[in-house]
């Protein structure tokens, strides 16, 4: 419907406009009936609808309507499946339409910096490309149903400890390449209707009042047109927040901050245009929802089935020494409380009131002769000898034992971080005891973030279910008994132990600040650079079939940084059952232009193949795939030189590679003064040419001159020394006068 939003804003009173910039209550925005502005509702998100009718709270404490809990982001990211995430998003969008929810709060794309972050289960990955791709598909799915999303929590909110006040201290290159990058692609390409700013400060400025973040980067650089809302209670100072670009404060402020806005306009400290623009942005999103309102039914059965499909496509088979799939009809012991009542979601604001939960015990009925033993209690981490004895007996009498283990609710949640990476001691003990009597043991894990696995070498199979949504048991049964073929791969590295993690020495900080000292070396970027063994690498996951790659082709061997490179490869299913492979494309910078990770994921494709079938898959790379963020340029920079294109089954299993030469016209400016080194100057083409021509002779004398010194110092050695020689050194070692030095600096500056 054609509507003149500017005109509506011009008809609003100052008080109405200020009122539009904060919630009416916990979940609603205000209406202005006389102008046809309706009251709209927002709800959490991200992996289900948590619509609260009464007793509103933002930590999932009070019950919301019955709904469907889809697998959480830690699981869905492992699908590496854009279409699947879009399908799930679209189902969520329809649910919102049916329930009159205008914005679904999510997805959450914060990077998994440490395995300890209590909220990792809601986040996709340690890798910004993967997180961004998954978020983009999720947003597109929800928004194609006419419902908005709120990508969150913008930005650098990677822990729960002091999340509402602490400052994340992050250098700009790291922010750009890792933490902001996960937001950038979905914001530019999927255009979420809203962005939710985070609670924390970034380098000493609250995200909710950071003009650099909310205006420079989000609006000016990324061209964002929706509105920014605060996380619940994230507003520090309202008027500075509004000026910086925070349009909507949530939840309601009891009118207090509305009055502050009115006052600021009246006393001239806030320009009314800023308020008008904020209101216009909020109204645009409200009316967009109104104009796309449709009748939908919340079909819970259908969405439960979709939740099962999503989890089946997401689970990661970590280990399989010929034990899986289990033989149908065989005698199997299902051990562990999670077999009956699986842990399938995390605590906090994303908590869904599931209309049904399917555990593996129920789902596997009829597939085999199954005995069940509880094995451990969930209330306390205490070994219960009676439960262990019962489990050991069940395991002994069966042909195989499947232990459903993982983290109890209290171990990880929104609101606080984990204190270690271990599973409950009682569960580790149980697994050990079962392994002592039964050689055929499979462990199925229910956890939102990696755990240490001291028993990994003793069991024959490990299936990572993550927090797999309310239909998790059905998906598990299908995979365990071979009705489905596992096809997920890890969206994060599983280190052997917590202290291996790059953030270990600086997580979670002192409560006031947390320093991201590992910089860009997050997740596999660190483990690979350090050549550190890990339990399971990023991108890893097994299938019941085998895949082979061949015929890697690049459509060009050299390119400008502005060109697109098309990479193709043949993927074959060499096993005897249908399966899906996730082909990963990594780029390895060999130009030496900066300290960079060994390789970085820059594209991927998931392909389904019948036994014996081969398909050619294609992926594209562009400037961003090669570039790093150069703070001197304030831009992305792909240096001229060689880049290796690596095709991998995981980040640690590169099977094919080739190289491409990239050239750029961009030069990185060198600041020239008497302490600029010869090495720095030699990387600037003009300065290098000048120095070579005019200084050649002078430089030769650097070794002291004469025959003897030429013997003692080779030209290579001179070159090496010159790299770190400031121009000033030419005065001391090459006989240049002070005046000559000044002239040289001037000359180089003028080139
Ligand atoms: C969470 C958000 C959530 C909001 C509303 C906050 O505590 O950080 O992710 O959307 O509450 O429940």
């Amino acid at each position: 419907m054609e509507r003149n939003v500017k005109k509506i804003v011009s008809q609003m009173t100052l008080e109405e406009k200020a009122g539009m910039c904060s919630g009416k209550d916990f979940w609603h925005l205000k209406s202005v009936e006389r102008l046809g502005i309706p009251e709209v509702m927002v709800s959490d998100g991200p992996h289900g609808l948590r619509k609260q009718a009464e007793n509103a709270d933002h930590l999932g404490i009070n019950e919301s309507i019955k709904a469907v809990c889809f697998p959480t982001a830690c699981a869905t990211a492992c699908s590496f499946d854009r279409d699947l995430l879009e399908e799930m998003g679209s189902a969520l969008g329809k649910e919102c339409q049916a329930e009159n929810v205008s914005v679904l709060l999510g997805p959450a794309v914060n990077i998994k910096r440490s395995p300890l972050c209590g909220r990792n289960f809601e986040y996709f990955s340690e890798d910004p490309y993967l997180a961004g791709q998954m978020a983009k598909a999720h947003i597109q799915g929800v928004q194609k149903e006419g419902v908005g999303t709120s990508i969150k929590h913008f930005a650098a909110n990677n822990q729960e400890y002091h999340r509402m006040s602490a400052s994340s201290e992050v250098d700009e290159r790291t922010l750009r390449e890792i933490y902001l990058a996960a937001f950038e692609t979905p914001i530019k390409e999927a255009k979420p209707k809203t962005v939710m700013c985070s609670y924390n400060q970034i380098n000493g400025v609250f995200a909710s009042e950071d003009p650099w973040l909310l205006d420079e980067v989000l609006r000016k650089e990324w061209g964002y047109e929706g509105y920014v809302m605060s996380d619940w209670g994230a507003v520090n100072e309202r008027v500075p927040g509004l000026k910086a670009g925070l349009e909507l404060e949530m939840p309601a402020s009891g009118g207090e901050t509305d009055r502050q806005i009115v006052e600021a306009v009246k006393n001239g400290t806030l320009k009314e245009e800023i308020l008008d623009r904020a209101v216009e942005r909020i109204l645009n999103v409200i009316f967009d929802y109104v104009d796309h309102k449709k009748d939908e039914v919340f079909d819970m059965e259908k969405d439960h089935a979709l939740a099962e499909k999503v989890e089946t496509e997401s689970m990661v088979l970590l280990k399989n020494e010929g034990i899986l799939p289990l033989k149908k009809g065989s005698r199997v012991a299902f051990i562990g409380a999670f077999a009956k009542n699986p842990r399938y979601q995390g605590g906090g604001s994303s908590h869904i009131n599931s209309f049904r939960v399917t555990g593996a015990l129920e789902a596997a009925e009829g597939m085999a002769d199954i005995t069940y033993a509880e094995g451990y209690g969930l209330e306390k981490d205490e070994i219960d000898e009676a439960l262990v004895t019962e489990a050991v007996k069940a395991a002994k009498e069966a042909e195989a034992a499947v232990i459903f283990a993982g983290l109890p609710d209290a171990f990880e949640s929104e609101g606080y971080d984990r204190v270690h990476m271990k599973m409950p001691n009682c569960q580790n003990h149980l697994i050990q005891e079962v392994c002592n009597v039964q050689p055929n043991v499979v462990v199925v894990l229910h956890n939102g973030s990696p755990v240490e696995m001291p028993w990994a070498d003793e069991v024959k199979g490990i299936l990572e279910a993550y927090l797999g949504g309310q239909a998790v048991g059905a998906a598990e049964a299908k995979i365990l008994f071979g009705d489905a073929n596992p096809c997920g791969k890890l969206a994060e590295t599983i280190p052997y132990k917590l202290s291996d993690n790059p953030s270990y020495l600086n997580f979670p900080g002192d409560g006031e600040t947390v320093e991201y000292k590992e910089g860009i070396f997050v997740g596999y970027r660190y483990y690979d650079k350090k050549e550190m063994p890990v339990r399971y690498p990023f991108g890893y996951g097994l299938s019941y079939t085998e895949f082979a790659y061949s015929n890697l082709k690049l459509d060009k061997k050299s390119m400008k940084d502005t060109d697109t490179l098309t990479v193709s490869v043949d993927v074959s299913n060499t096993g005897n059952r249908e399966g899906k492979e996730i082909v990963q494309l990594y780029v390895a910078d060999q130009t030496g232009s900066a300290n960079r990770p060994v390789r970085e994921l820059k594209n991927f494709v998931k392909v389904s193949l019948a036994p014996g079938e081969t398909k050619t898959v294609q992926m594209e790379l562009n400037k961003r795939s090669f570039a790093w963020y150069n703070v001197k340029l304030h831009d992305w920079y792909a240096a001229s030189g060689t880049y290796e294109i690596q095709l991998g089954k995981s980040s640690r299993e590169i099977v094919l590679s080739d190289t491409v030469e990239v050239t750029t016209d961009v030069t990185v400016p060198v600041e020239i003064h008497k302490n600029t080194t010869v090495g720095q100057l030699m990387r600037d083409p003009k300065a290098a040419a000048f120095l070579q021509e005019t200084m050649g002779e002078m430089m030769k004398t650097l070794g002291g001159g004469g025959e003897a010194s030429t013997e003692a110092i080779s030209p290579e050695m001179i070159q090496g020394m010159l790299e770190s020689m400031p121009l000033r050194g030419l005065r001391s070692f090459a006989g240049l006068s002070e005046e000559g030095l000044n002239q040289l600096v001037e000359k180089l500056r003028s080139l």
Side-chain angles (χ1 to χ4, degrees), residues 113-148:
R113 177 176 175 242
S114 161
L116 298 187
C117 172
R119 233 177 156 177
N120 274 0
F121 71 90
E122 260 186 271
Y123 302 152
F124 289 112
S125 179
E126 67 188 23
D127 180 83
Y129 179 78
L130 177 59
Q133 292 295 306
M134 296 291 98
K136 176 180 159 189
H138 174 113
I139 293 165
Q140 284 169 336
V142 176
Q143 293 198 168
K144 81 178 179 202
E145 303 305 333
V147 169

Side-chain angles (χ1 to χ4, degrees), residues 127 173 177-178 520-532 585-592 594-602 625-626 642-646 650-654 657:
D127 180 83
R173 181 178 166 203
E177 289 186 29
I178 306 290
I520 58 167
F521 295 100
V522 175
Y524 68 90
R525 286 166 168 77
Y526 173 82
Y527 300 114
D528 286 357
K529 194 85 173 178
K530 294 278 290 184
E531 300 179 344
M532 192 183 269
L585 199 172
Y586 294 88
V587 174
D589 181 346
Q590 300 184 340
T591 67
N595 187 13
R596 298 199 67 182
V598 176
R599 64 181 63 85
E600 292 179 281
L601 183 75
K602 295 299 172 186
S625 321
F626 300 102
T642 307
Y643 294 81
E644 194 169 83
I645 307 302
Q646 305 179 335
S650 82
S651 58
R652 287 276 167 104
E653 194 184 354
I654 303 302
S657 65

Side-chain angles (χ1 to χ4, degrees), residues 27 44 58 119 152-153 163 196 199 231-232 349 414:
W27 303 117
D44 284 304
H58 70 304
R119 233 177 156 177
K152 63 191 189 181
H153 310 86
R163 69 167 164 163
M196 189 191 291
Y199 287 121
D231 198 345
W232 267 232
S349 61
E414 177 178 345

Side-chain angles (χ1 to χ4, degrees), residues 251-272:
S253 73
E256 173 92 36
T257 53
D258 300 356
R259 283 190 288 277
Q260 290 171 4
I261 294 173
V262 169
E263 184 52 33
V265 171
K266 284 189 176 157
N267 70 23
T269 49
L270 174 69
K271 286 199 198 113
E272 194 159 359

